[in-house]
Amino acid sequence: MSLFADVALPVPLDRAFTYSVTPGAEPVVGGRVLVSFGGQQLSGVVVALHDVRPAPEVEVKAIARVLDESALLSDELMQLGKWIAQYYCAPLGDVLRGMLPLTAEVRRQWVYRIGEQGRRVLYEGAAKGSSRRSKLSVEDQNREYAVLNYLEAAEAVKTGTIRSATGANKALLDAMAKKRWLVREPLAEVRDARRVEMVAVLQEAGDSEQETEKSEDPTAGKRLPKLNENQLAVMAELAGCGGRELVRELRARLGARGVPDSSLATLVKRGLVRLEETAQAFHVSGLGHGGKKFAHEHALNEAQTEALGTLVAAMEKGGFRPHLLYGITGSGKTAVYVAAMQRALAAGKSALLLVPEIGLTPGIAAQMVAAFAGEVALLHSQLTPDERAEQWHRIRRGEARVVVGTRSAVFAPMPDLGLILVDEEHDGSYKQEETPRYHGRDVAVMRAKLLGCTVVLGSATPSLESWNNAERGRYVRVEMRERVQSRPLPAVEMIDMREEFRETGQEQMFSRRLIAETQATLDRGEQAIILLNRRGYSFVVMCRSCGEKIECENCAISLTYHKPGNEQDLNGEARVGQRLECHYCGFRRGVPKACPKCASEHLYYLGAGSQQGEERLQELFPGARIGRMDRDTVRTRGDMERLLTRLHSGEINLLVGTQMIAKGHDIHGVTLVGVVGADFALGLPDFRAAERVFQLITQVSGRAGRGELPGKVLVQTYQPDHYVNKFAREHDYTGFAAREMYFRRGMRYPPFSVLANVMVQSERLEEVLDWSSRLGRWFEQRKLVGVRVLGPAAAPLSRLKRIYRYHFVLKADRRDVLGPALREMLGVVDREEIPRRSIVVDVDAMHLM
């Protein structure tokens, strides 16, 4: 047995911590343990077992509890985690925590015990009476003494127990801890995260032991005892369900008929009905196919067959070779994915499909369930913690050989993984914006390399990094340049909004041409989509007198104006009343009647968001059935499913929304797409701005004409001659990629260099300036060979969530130069005693904002 274990903990330190192993409770590498750290208990992952004793002066604590008898992370996933920590300069403990979505199994809570000062207050109050002055009400003061009395004879007690015994809430307990009357300590408890519910089972005659024992007649157990009307109703309902029914559904139906819950309880007590636990059903997708065939039901055309043949040959040959599947919108990439996954499962392998956003999971999950039935598992952040744990264990046991999920699903513990598919690989949502800041697409490629399996990156508008890799021969490029059934790509027309203003003399949200074409589309019984890539009603509120913009109190950004409407808050409750809201930190305030700076009443609302777009469309098309898809109307997967169901069925014939409407949706009735204000993003201080705008216009254009009828796209723009719009009009991705890479090559931006964004942040501006200056001097003195350092400079969003932000941009020609430079810089951060939480290293940054 090993004497010591090295444990990776979720703390901002680039090291593991050594703990002693208790005899008879030896952990395993890749398994979890509970350990004491910094006055609290943390769950960590064992990364090594050994017999090397640390230095004598180092105190070695014992592992508090071993949570897993076998490894949860395989050798391959442990190797992948170490690569992520090294490549992205992230603490290994943070990486491994993100790979295990099992927070539901370890519940962290607070416990309280009485402190010495609390005992003194309690003693003085009992001996002399309370003479202290307090701002608290008499009721709260009495509750304080009740808490002290309750804890005086007890050890540490949980918050809920104290609340039940004394009526004190957590705020009062925390205030007592702040006064040192109580000592607050964290407690980690292991819990069973299985999702179960009760089933009522009708006992057969003769099985009621309790009734038989009570009767002197030996045949009594064979006869139904005397029951009242409600009990008979319960028995009849169960019999009608085949003798077995979920308790919640049974009670719902009986309750509608006025039968009380106590009737079922009485039948259970008398032994006529028994209750059993059963696994709670998991809802993969409630989205139907809307009368269309699923992807696996279509016969593949020539281009799809050739693409599938290339992928199947790679799987049969084995070994690592990434493929870039470049297929225009509507070319049938999903059908190729499904067919390739069927081949993988037939060969005894499992398959993983990544999608960029949760909004795409209902549609793609419905396709997977239709093709693979109960072998499908789902992983994404909108599952409850218990659901994530349940799906994760199903995958690990091999019960689900097809996994669909967002970026974190790349860590799914899949046995015999033989195929990884990354749909819409260009999408920025694959990049994690918190530590560890990994890119799901690149991690998928590395995982395939470690496993020696096939990985496919699919997109109609590939990222320039992937396109460049294909150009250089690192990836095999597979092309599908025709739509299924030879359907034409939609005609794309540019509407010059400068000319529109000259002719009308007014600034309009929607051009006359777009309004006319939308009306004609609706009159023909077809559907239309309008992209307006801004949330809210107006995104700037400005004073006409002094020019002051109303900004968020936490962020250096204008507040967005929201009118009352069909929006929900994070708890799913309807939002009422107009408000100003920050889309970065969530801060909200009422709309002032006057300027906060000069008291002028002349407030001006600038810019149009999707909410204003919906309102304007309702005015223009009063007979239309209008829906809106943005983060205000779609908060959960259920919201998305309901909206897509209405869209597929034709209940909605005019949809307005943000970029959520641009990705992956296959609505055959849509023949017109309008794009409003997309080219505003060309002015953002980001070298990827042109690429993002081109991808957005091309992707949303691809929603048109996917059925029997041809499609049309109208793009409103103030820059019709910009190369992004020219190439988007011709559906010419190849030409756009060549032009954009020409500019990138000259400026040495990715993919012709590697880049990292180093953010220095603090709630105090003077600290940020000091730390940035110190790092800037070190970079200047060190003169890193092969690395160009830009900065320090204020970040474009200089304050976010009350945190001031300065940054450096590091560029290098090779990754083997940039990585060591960043790690050397982090060593300087430690020597300078700059808090590691205040330094954010974003390797391969997608945004520089």
Side-chain angles (χ1 to χ4, degrees):
M1 187 188 85
S2 301
L3 298 177
F4 301 99
D6 290 341
V7 181
L9 297 173
V11 294
L13 297 171
D14 295 323
R15 51 162 294 191
F17 299 86
T18 302
Y19 290 84
S20 63
V21 174
T22 303
E26 185 171 7
V28 292
V29 174
R32 296 168 301 162
V33 293
L34 277 180
V35 297
S36 296
F37 183 88
Q40 57 184 320
Q41 280 195 337
L42 296 179
S43 172
V45 176
V46 177
V47 295
L49 295 170
H50 58 85
D51 295 325
V52 180
R53 181 178 294 277
E57 65 274 10
V58 177
E59 179 188 1
V60 180
K61 299 178 182 178
I63 291 174
R65 182 171 179 178
V66 176
L67 299 180
D68 305 305
E69 296 180 357
S70 59
L72 294 186
L73 294 175
S74 63
D75 291 342
E76 169 249 328
L77 285 175
M78 289 292 290
Q79 191 175 353
L80 181 65
K82 292 175 181 177
W83 175 82
I84 292 172
Q86 180 78 2
Y87 184 89
Y88 292 101
C89 297
L92 180 59
D94 280 340
V95 175
L96 298 182
R97 176 181 58 180
M99 296 175 74
L100 288 170
L102 303 176
T103 56
E105 297 183 350
V106 180
R107 175 182 290 162
R108 296 186 65 195
Q109 56 184 309
W110 294 102
V111 295
Y112 297 83
R113 58 183 174 82
I114 192 169
E116 288 303 318
Q117 193 164 336
R119 291 185 189 277
R120 187 161 52 250
V121 169
L122 184 63
Y123 172 76
E124 291 175 354
K128 307 174 184 177
S130 177
S131 60
R132 62 190 178 86
R133 300 176 64 182
S134 175
K135 294 181 180 180
L136 295 178
S137 66
V138 174
E139 290 79 5
D140 280 344
Q141 292 183 51
N142 289 335
R143 287 193 186 98
E144 286 184 331
Y145 277 106
V147 170
L148 294 175
N149 273 310
Y150 183 76
L151 294 178
E152 198 271 336
E155 295 296 327
V157 180
K158 299 176 186 176
T159 307
T161 305
I162 301 174
R163 184 185 297 122
S164 299
T166 66
N169 58 28
K170 189 174 184 300
L172 184 69
L173 295 175
D174 289 344
M176 294 176 70
K178 191 173 182 180
K179 292 187 290 189
R180 301 184 183 276
W181 291 8
L182 302 181
V183 177
R184 191 178 72 159
E185 299 171 341
L187 175 69
E189 286 188 332
V190 180
R191 64 180 288 266
D192 185 354
R194 291 179 304 157
R195 296 185 313 116
V196 296
E197 57 184 337
M198 302 307 295
V199 175
V201 181
L202 186 63
Q203 296 283 66
E204 295 182 6
D207 292 345
S208 178
E209 297 179 4
Q210 295 180 23
E211 291 293 331
T212 302
E213 290 174 2
K214 290 179 181 179
S215 175
E216 296 179 359
D217 184 351
T219 64
K222 299 177 184 179
R223 296 199 305 267
L224 193 64
K226 187 175 180 179
L227 302 175
N228 63 31
E229 184 178 343
N230 287 333
Q231 293 161 0
L232 285 172
V234 175
M235 299 285 282
E237 189 71 35
L238 270 176
C241 297
R244 186 181 183 89
E245 181 61 294
L246 292 172
V247 170
R248 59 178 169 82
E249 295 186 2
L250 181 64
R251 283 177 170 163
R253 288 202 297 271
L254 291 170
R257 291 157 50 186
V259 178
D261 292 347
S262 58
S263 299
L264 176 60
T266 300
L267 292 174
V268 172
K269 186 176 180 181
R270 299 178 70 175
L272 297 172
V273 175
R274 74 174 185 272
L275 299 182
E276 295 178 355
E277 278 189 354
T278 187
Q280 193 172 333
F282 178 72
H283 174 76
V284 176
S285 175
L287 191 64
H289 54 74
K292 306 190 307 289
K293 289 183 178 180
F294 287 107
H296 70 284
E297 298 173 327
H298 288 278
L300 300 184
N301 61 25
E302 182 179 351
Q304 290 172 313
T305 303
E306 289 181 4
L308 177 62
T310 302
L311 303 183
V312 170
M315 287 190 286
E316 291 176 347
K317 182 179 180 181
F320 168 69
R321 190 77 189 275
H323 292 68
L324 175 63
L325 178 59
Y326 166 53
I328 63 172
T329 57
S331 59
K333 293 185 290 295
T334 301
V336 175
Y337 295 158
V338 174
M341 296 167 88
Q342 288 174 327
R343 299 296 182 91
L345 266 63
K349 301 291 186 178
S350 56
L352 169 65
L353 172 61
L354 298 180
V355 294
E357 285 196 5
I358 294 170
L360 295 180
T361 56
I364 199 69
Q367 297 276 4
M368 295 300 113
V369 170
F372 303 105
E375 291 203 271
V376 180
L378 201 60
L379 281 178
H380 58 69
S381 61
Q382 281 189 356
L383 301 180
T384 67
D386 286 356
E387 286 175 333
R388 282 200 296 273
E390 175 187 82
Q391 293 293 292
W392 192 90
H393 285 297
R394 277 190 68 220
I395 296 165
R396 181 168 175 262
R397 291 192 298 264
E399 297 172 6
R401 296 194 298 160
V402 173
V403 175
V404 178
T406 49
R407 62 174 176 264
S408 60
V410 73
F411 305 122
M414 304 179 70
D416 301 315
L417 181 56
L419 176 65
I420 303 176
L421 300 145
V422 184
D423 191 28
E424 309 290 1
E425 64 85 26
H426 66 277
D427 200 289
S429 299
Y430 282 118
K431 187 71 160 72
Q432 171 117 328
E433 295 300 334
E434 57 188 25
T435 304
R437 293 171 177 262
Y438 66 89
H439 197 297
R441 176 199 63 211
D442 298 339
V443 172
V445 173
M446 177 53 65
R447 186 172 186 186
K449 183 177 182 179
L450 293 174
L451 287 170
C453 75
T454 301
V455 59
V456 181
L457 313 180
S459 177
T461 53
S463 64
L464 292 187
E465 288 82 356
S466 295
W467 188 258
N468 185 59
N469 281 329
E471 292 277 274
R472 298 175 63 180
R474 293 179 177 177
Y475 293 175
V476 177
R477 187 161 69 210
V478 183
E479 297 188 356
M480 293 161 51
R481 289 184 175 267
E482 289 186 3
R483 281 188 157 187
V484 295
Q485 300 180 3
S486 299
R487 291 169 182 155
L489 283 166
V492 180
E493 300 178 28
M494 298 291 159
I495 299 175
D496 189 342
M497 295 304 287
R498 300 170 302 177
E499 186 67 25
E500 184 81 7
F501 180 77
R502 280 193 291 267
E503 293 179 4
T504 64
Q506 291 181 324
E507 191 76 33
Q508 298 288 350
M509 183 188 308
F510 302 122
S511 63
R512 294 165 297 172
R513 176 75 187 285
L514 180 57
I515 293 171
E517 290 285 355
T518 302
Q519 185 65 65
T521 300
L522 299 178
D523 290 343
R524 292 192 301 268
E526 298 163 10
Q527 293 171 291
I529 288 177
I530 307 293
L531 171 72
L532 215 170
N533 200 24
R534 287 270 196 170
R535 285 170 55 197
Y537 194 87
S538 298
F539 46 83
V540 176
V541 180
M542 178 181 289
C543 175
R544 285 181 181 270
S545 296
C546 68
E548 181 78 2
K549 291 185 297 184
I550 301 181
E551 292 193 342
C552 174
E553 67 176 30
N554 304 319
C555 310
I557 194 76
S558 296
L559 291 172
T560 298
Y561 171 58
H562 287 254
K563 288 185 72 173
N566 61 332
E567 299 182 354
Q568 298 177 337
D569 63 19
L570 293 174
N571 297 318
E573 297 177 356
R575 286 172 166 160
V576 294
Q578 59 181 356
R579 69 191 186 281
L580 299 177
E581 182 172 335
C582 175
H583 292 165
Y584 286 89
C585 73
F587 169 77
R588 287 188 290 173
R589 60 161 294 177
V591 180
K593 294 181 179 180
C595 173
K597 184 177 181 180
C598 72
S600 168
E601 296 181 356
H602 301 292
L603 294 179
Y604 185 47
Y605 297 84
L606 294 171
S610 55
Q611 189 185 24
Q612 185 175 162
E614 179 186 27
E615 179 181 276
R616 180 65 178 139
L617 290 173
Q618 288 171 340
E619 295 171 356
L620 291 168
F621 312 107
R625 303 180 299 276
I626 300 175
R628 174 155 59 97
M629 183 185 291
D630 58 26
R631 290 297 176 199
D632 295 312
T633 59
V634 177
R635 290 276 176 171
T636 68
R637 55 184 172 131
D639 294 336
M640 178 62 80
E641 287 178 7
R642 286 187 289 273
L643 185 57
L644 289 177
T645 297
R646 294 175 62 205
L647 195 59
H648 279 290
S649 67
E651 182 183 344
I652 293 174
N653 61 0
L654 179 55
L655 180 69
V656 61
T658 59
Q659 62 179 348
M660 295 176 69
I661 68 176
K663 305 172 185 177
H665 306 301
D666 185 29
I667 315 298
H668 283 195
V670 174
T671 58
L672 176 68
V673 168
V675 182
V676 178
D679 56 358
F680 292 162
L682 291 172
L684 293 176
D686 195 326
F687 70 92
R688 285 193 172 93
E691 181 181 9
R692 288 198 184 93
V693 172
F694 177 84
Q695 289 168 342
L696 181 61
I697 294 175
T698 302
Q699 290 287 339
V700 76
S701 298
R703 301 315 107 203
R706 299 175 76 94
E708 299 299 327
L709 299 173
K712 180 183 291 185
V713 181
L714 301 178
V715 180
Q716 296 185 175
T717 177
Y718 285 89
Q719 305 177 65
D721 297 326
H722 196 286
Y723 67 93
V724 165
N725 288 322
K726 286 186 175 181
F727 288 117
R729 183 171 56 238
E730 302 300 326
H731 300 283
D732 185 4
Y733 172 81
T734 304
F736 168 78
R739 176 71 63 88
E740 182 68 11
M741 286 207 277
Y742 171 78
F743 295 130
R744 299 271 187 97
R745 186 181 288 109
M747 297 299 295
R748 304 306 298 169
Y749 273 116
F752 302 103
S753 67
V754 290
L755 177 148
N757 190 31
V758 178
M759 191 74 66
V760 184
Q761 55 187 27
S762 172
E763 291 188 3
R764 298 174 57 196
L765 178 59
E766 58 270 25
E767 284 185 337
V768 171
L769 294 174
D770 176 43
W771 296 336
S772 299
S773 297
R774 282 194 263 168
L775 285 179
R777 286 193 295 270
W778 177 81
F779 278 125
E780 187 175 352
Q781 295 168 2
R782 179 66 178 80
K783 299 187 185 301
L784 296 165
V785 178
V787 179
R788 185 183 180 191
V789 181
L790 306 177
L797 283 175
S798 59
R799 188 168 181 252
L800 200 62
K801 299 179 181 179
R802 294 183 179 271
I803 295 174
Y804 293 95
R805 309 158 81 239
Y806 270 62
H807 71 149
F808 300 84
V809 176
L810 277 65
K811 294 198 291 185
D813 290 333
R814 304 195 319 271
R815 296 188 184 280
D816 60 355
V817 173
L818 181 63
L822 291 171
R823 284 186 285 278
E824 187 177 351
M825 179 206 70
L826 290 175
V828 173
V829 168
D830 292 337
R831 289 196 301 273
E832 292 285 332
E833 297 184 344
I834 300 173
R836 279 294 298 273
R837 291 286 189 198
S838 297
I839 306 295
V840 175
V841 178
D842 192 1
V843 178
D844 297 339
M846 295 296 292
H847 300 273
L848 301 179
M849 299 293 286

